[in-house]
Amino acid sequence: MSRDSNCIFCKIIAGQIPSRKVYEDEEIYAFHDINPWAPIHFLVIPKVHILSLAHIEPEHQAMMGRLMQCIPQLAQQEGCNPYPEGGFRVVTNTGKEGGQEVHHLHFHVTGGPRPWLRG
Ligand code: AMP
Ligand code: ZN
């Protein structure tokens, strides 16, 4: 598995930095954001170190499909209200102008009753 020893999310996956785990399988890890913008806010990441959504390759297709498929069930598990009155928001910041701060691909999943701090 390709990891970057300087990457904070690779360290979280490796258990070197603590996190509040939401889900884990052989390819995917999900954990609560340390600085939530909404009543429910967790991050879903591939275990493989991919810099951003701009760095997706054909070999990542199956994993990315599974990652996307996980999101609705994790949102429900974490307490997001059902569609359509409830729902959730998925955000992927990409690059400097896209607002990306951590350069390991991640999907913010936010939900719960509004107002939210952001988004
Ligand atoms: P972005 O700006 O899209 O790169 O988002 C990075 C996100 O990672 C921010 O929402 C941070 O609050 C979150 N974050 C940074 N460090 C940690 C950490 N150790 N545990 C959980 N979330 C983190
Ligand atoms: Zn990483």
Side-chain angles (χ1 to χ4, degrees), residues 2-11 13 45-51 102-105:
S2 145
R3 295 250 169 93
D4 177 340
S5 57
N6 294 316
C7 168
I8 186 169
F9 287 176
C10 284
K11 287 182 183 170
I13 293 162
I45 67 177
K47 285 189 169 176
V48 62
H49 181 81
I50 301 170
L51 282 174
V102 175
H103 292 268
H104 179 130
L105 176 62

Side-chain angles (χ1 to χ4, degrees), residues 78-91:
E78 294 307 307
C80 291
N81 294 312
Y83 178 94
E85 282 77 19
F88 52 86
R89 185 174 181 132
V90 181
V91 170

Side-chain angles (χ1 to χ4, degrees), residues 15-36:
Q16 293 160 357
I17 292 177
S19 64
R20 286 175 55 216
K21 181 159 82 176
V22 165
Y23 174 76
E24 180 172 18
D25 65 31
E26 56 290 342
E27 291 184 308
I28 296 162
Y29 193 80
F31 57 105
H32 289 277
D33 197 292
I34 206 166
N35 189 16

Side-chain angles (χ1 to χ4, degrees), residues 46 53 56 60-69 105 107:
L53 195 59
I56 287 295
H60 301 132
Q61 269 183 27
M63 177 277 292
M64 287 294 294
R66 284 208 321 105
L67 188 154
M68 281 294 148
Q69 199 182 355
L105 176 62
F107 295 84

